[in-house]
Amino acid sequence: MENIDIMLIVKHIIIGLVQGFTEPIPVSSSGHVMIASEILGLGEQGFTFAILTNTASLLAIMYIYRKDIVRLISHFFLYLKTREKRYNADFRFALYIVIGSIPAGVLGVLLSDVIADNVSMTTIALMLFVTGTALWLIRNMHGKKKDADLRAKDAIIVGLGQAVALTPGISRSGATIISAIAVGMKQDTALRFSFMLYIPVSLGGVVLGITDFLDEPNKGALALPYAATFLATLIMTYFAMRWFMGIMKSGKLSYFTYYCFIVGTLLLLFY
C-alpha cells in the first residue's frame, strides 16, 4: 500500500471530473483538461489518456441515448430491407449522421499531429473567445427543423463544425450545436444530432488508438490513477449531460458565452 500515490490518484480524479463535466457542454473539454493538468502539475496527458477519458464520456452518452441508437440502427436496416415509409425518417437521420461524421474523421487523421503540436494556453484562450462569440450570435435563434426535415447539406455543415472543433479550445458540442441551430434545427433536434455525431467519430478514435493504449509503457504504474479517471469521467459525463439537456430546453446557451469569455480572459492574463 505504501507504493500507492494517493495524491496522483486524486489529481487524476479531478482531471476525470473536469473532462466529464466539460465534454457535453459548449466550453471545450480538451482545453479544460489541458488547463486543469497545468494547474495540477501533471503536464500534457498524451494520446493514451485522451482515449481513456473519451471512451468513458462516450459510454455515458451512449447510455443516455441508448434507445435512440437502437431505434436508428434497427430502422436504418429495416428501411433498406422493406422500403416502408414509416422507417424513412430514421433511415435518413442515421444516414446524415454518417455523412456528418466524415469531415472530422478525415481531418482528424490528416491533421492530428499538426493540431497537437500547435497548442498553447494562448491558443485555448483565443478559441474560447471564438466559441463564446458564436454562442452569443445564435442565442436568439429558434429553428423549426425536426428530425424528419433534415437534409444532407445540414449534415455536412454541422459535420464541418465538428471538424473545426478538433482545435483545442473550440468546443465540439458547441461547434455542432451552433452549426445545427444556424441551419435551422430545433433545440432538441440540434442537441440529439450533435451527440449522435459524437458517437461514430469517438468510436473511430478509440479503435484507431487502441494500439497506442495497449503499448503504453506505464500502464502498470498508472493502472489505479487511470481507473479512477475513467470512473470519474463516466459518472460526471452522465450527470453533466443530463444537466445540459435541461439547459438546452430552457434556451440558456448564452450563459456559456460569459463563461468562455471569463476563462479566456483569465488565461491571457495569467499564462
Coordinates of all heavy atoms in Angstrom, one line a residue, residues 29-62:
S29 N -13.8 20.5 -23.8 CA -13.3 19.6 -22.8 C -11.8 19.4 -22.9 O -11.1 19.4 -21.9 CB -13.9 18.2 -22.9 OG -13.7 17.6 -24.2
S30 N -11.3 19.4 -24.2 CA -9.8 19.2 -24.3 C -9.1 20.4 -23.8 O -8.0 20.3 -23.1 CB -9.5 19.0 -25.8 OG -9.9 20.1 -26.6
G31 N -9.6 21.6 -24.0 CA -9.0 22.8 -23.5 C -9.0 22.8 -22.0 O -8.0 23.2 -21.3
H32 N -10.1 22.4 -21.4 CA -10.2 22.4 -19.9 C -9.3 21.3 -19.3 O -8.8 21.6 -18.2 CB -11.6 22.3 -19.5 CG -12.4 23.6 -19.5 ND1 -12.8 24.2 -20.7 CD2 -12.8 24.4 -18.5 CE1 -13.4 25.3 -20.4 NE2 -13.4 25.5 -19.1
V33 N -9.2 20.2 -19.9 CA -8.3 19.2 -19.4 C -6.8 19.7 -19.4 O -6.1 19.4 -18.5 CB -8.4 17.9 -20.2 CG1 -7.3 16.9 -19.9 CG2 -9.8 17.2 -19.9
M34 N -6.5 20.4 -20.5 CA -5.1 21.0 -20.6 C -4.9 22.0 -19.5 O -3.8 22.0 -18.8 CB -4.9 21.6 -21.9 CG -4.7 20.6 -23.1 SD -4.4 21.4 -24.6 CE -2.7 22.0 -24.3
I35 N -5.9 22.8 -19.2 CA -5.8 23.8 -18.2 C -5.7 23.2 -16.8 O -4.8 23.5 -16.0 CB -7.0 24.8 -18.2 CG1 -7.1 25.6 -19.5 CG2 -7.0 25.7 -17.0 CD1 -8.4 26.3 -19.7
A36 N -6.5 22.2 -16.5 CA -6.5 21.5 -15.2 C -5.2 20.8 -15.0 O -4.6 20.8 -13.9 CB -7.7 20.5 -15.1
S37 N -4.7 20.1 -16.1 CA -3.4 19.4 -16.0 C -2.3 20.3 -15.7 O -1.4 20.0 -14.9 CB -3.1 18.6 -17.3 OG -4.2 17.7 -17.5
E38 N -2.3 21.5 -16.2 CA -1.3 22.5 -16.0 C -1.3 23.0 -14.5 O -0.3 23.1 -13.9 CB -1.5 23.7 -16.9 CG -0.5 24.8 -16.8 CD 0.9 24.5 -17.3 OE1 1.0 23.5 -18.1 OE2 1.9 25.2 -17.0
I39 N -2.5 23.3 -14.1 CA -2.7 23.7 -12.7 C -2.3 22.7 -11.7 O -1.6 23.0 -10.7 CB -4.2 24.1 -12.4 CG1 -4.5 25.4 -13.3 CG2 -4.4 24.4 -10.9 CD1 -6.0 25.7 -13.2
L40 N -2.6 21.4 -12.0 CA -2.2 20.3 -11.0 C -0.8 19.8 -11.2 O -0.4 18.9 -10.4 CB -3.2 19.2 -11.3 CG -4.7 19.4 -10.9 CD1 -5.6 18.3 -11.3 CD2 -4.8 19.7 -9.4
G41 N -0.1 20.4 -12.2 CA 1.3 20.0 -12.3 C 1.5 18.6 -13.0 O 2.5 17.9 -12.8
L42 N 0.5 18.1 -13.7 CA 0.6 16.8 -14.4 C 1.2 16.9 -15.8 O 1.5 15.9 -16.3 CB -0.8 16.2 -14.4 CG -1.4 15.8 -13.1 CD1 -2.9 15.3 -13.3 CD2 -0.6 14.7 -12.4
G43 N 1.2 18.1 -16.3 CA 1.8 18.2 -17.7 C 0.8 17.7 -18.7 O -0.3 17.4 -18.4
E44 N 1.3 17.6 -19.9 CA 0.5 17.1 -21.0 C 0.1 15.6 -20.8 O 1.0 14.8 -20.5 CB 1.2 17.3 -22.4 CG 0.3 17.0 -23.6 CD 1.1 17.3 -24.9 OE1 2.1 17.9 -24.8 OE2 0.6 16.8 -25.9
Q45 N -1.2 15.3 -21.0 CA -1.6 13.9 -20.7 C -1.3 12.9 -21.8 O -1.1 11.7 -21.5 CB -3.1 14.0 -20.4 CG -3.5 14.7 -19.1 CD -2.8 14.1 -17.9 OE1 -2.9 12.9 -17.6 NE2 -2.1 15.0 -17.1
G46 N -1.3 13.4 -23.0 CA -1.0 12.4 -24.1 C -2.2 11.7 -24.7 O -3.3 11.8 -24.2
F47 N -1.9 11.0 -25.7 CA -3.0 10.4 -26.5 C -3.7 9.2 -25.8 O -4.9 9.1 -25.9 CB -2.4 9.8 -27.8 CG -3.4 9.4 -28.9 CD1 -4.4 10.3 -29.2 CD2 -3.3 8.2 -29.4 CE1 -5.4 9.9 -30.2 CE2 -4.3 7.8 -30.4 CZ -5.3 8.6 -30.7
T48 N -2.9 8.5 -25.0 CA -3.5 7.3 -24.3 C -4.5 7.8 -23.3 O -5.6 7.2 -23.2 CB -2.4 6.6 -23.6 OG1 -1.4 6.0 -24.5 CG2 -2.9 5.4 -22.8
F49 N -4.2 8.9 -22.6 CA -5.1 9.4 -21.6 C -6.4 10.0 -22.3 O -7.5 9.8 -21.8 CB -4.4 10.5 -20.8 CG -5.2 11.1 -19.6 CD1 -5.1 10.4 -18.4 CD2 -6.0 12.2 -19.8 CE1 -5.9 10.9 -17.3 CE2 -6.7 12.7 -18.7 CZ -6.7 12.0 -17.5
A50 N -6.2 10.6 -23.4 CA -7.3 11.1 -24.2 C -8.3 10.0 -24.6 O -9.5 10.2 -24.5 CB -6.8 11.9 -25.4
I51 N -7.7 8.9 -25.0 CA -8.5 7.7 -25.4 C -9.3 7.2 -24.2 O -10.5 6.9 -24.3 CB -7.7 6.6 -26.0 CG1 -7.0 7.0 -27.3 CG2 -8.5 5.3 -26.2 CD1 -6.0 6.1 -27.8
L52 N -8.7 7.2 -23.1 CA -9.3 6.7 -21.8 C -10.5 7.5 -21.5 O -11.6 7.0 -21.2 CB -8.3 6.7 -20.7 CG -8.8 6.1 -19.3 CD1 -8.8 4.6 -19.4 CD2 -7.8 6.6 -18.2
T53 N -10.3 8.8 -21.4 CA -11.4 9.7 -20.9 C -12.5 9.8 -22.0 O -13.6 9.9 -21.7 CB -10.8 11.1 -20.6 OG1 -10.1 11.6 -21.7 CG2 -9.9 11.1 -19.4
N54 N -12.0 9.8 -23.3 CA -13.0 9.9 -24.3 C -13.9 8.7 -24.3 O -15.1 8.8 -24.6 CB -12.3 10.0 -25.7 CG -13.3 10.1 -26.9 OD1 -13.9 11.1 -27.1 ND2 -13.4 9.0 -27.6
T55 N -13.3 7.5 -24.1 CA -14.1 6.3 -24.0 C -15.2 6.4 -22.9 O -16.3 5.9 -23.0 CB -13.2 5.1 -23.8 OG1 -12.3 5.0 -24.9 CG2 -14.0 3.8 -23.8
A56 N -14.7 6.9 -21.7 CA -15.7 7.0 -20.6 C -16.8 7.9 -20.9 O -18.0 7.6 -20.7 CB -14.9 7.5 -19.4
S57 N -16.5 9.1 -21.5 CA -17.6 10.0 -21.9 C -18.5 9.4 -23.0 O -19.7 9.6 -22.9 CB -17.0 11.3 -22.4 OG -16.4 12.1 -21.4
L58 N -17.9 8.7 -23.9 CA -18.7 8.1 -25.0 C -19.7 7.1 -24.4 O -20.8 7.1 -24.8 CB -17.7 7.4 -25.9 CG -18.3 6.5 -27.0 CD1 -19.1 7.4 -28.0 CD2 -17.2 5.8 -27.8
L59 N -19.2 6.2 -23.5 CA -20.1 5.2 -22.9 C -21.3 5.9 -22.1 O -22.4 5.4 -22.2 CB -19.3 4.3 -21.9 CG -18.3 3.4 -22.6 CD1 -17.5 2.6 -21.5 CD2 -19.0 2.4 -23.5
A60 N -21.0 7.0 -21.4 CA -22.1 7.7 -20.7 C -23.1 8.3 -21.7 O -24.3 8.1 -21.4 CB -21.5 8.8 -19.8
I61 N -22.6 8.9 -22.7 CA -23.5 9.5 -23.7 C -24.3 8.4 -24.5 O -25.5 8.6 -24.7 CB -22.8 10.4 -24.6 CG1 -22.3 11.7 -23.9 CG2 -23.6 10.8 -25.8 CD1 -21.3 12.5 -24.6
M62 N -23.7 7.3 -24.8 CA -24.3 6.2 -25.5 C -25.4 5.6 -24.6 O -26.5 5.2 -25.1 CB -23.3 5.1 -25.9 CG -22.5 5.5 -27.1 SD -21.3 4.2 -27.6 CE -22.5 3.0 -28.2

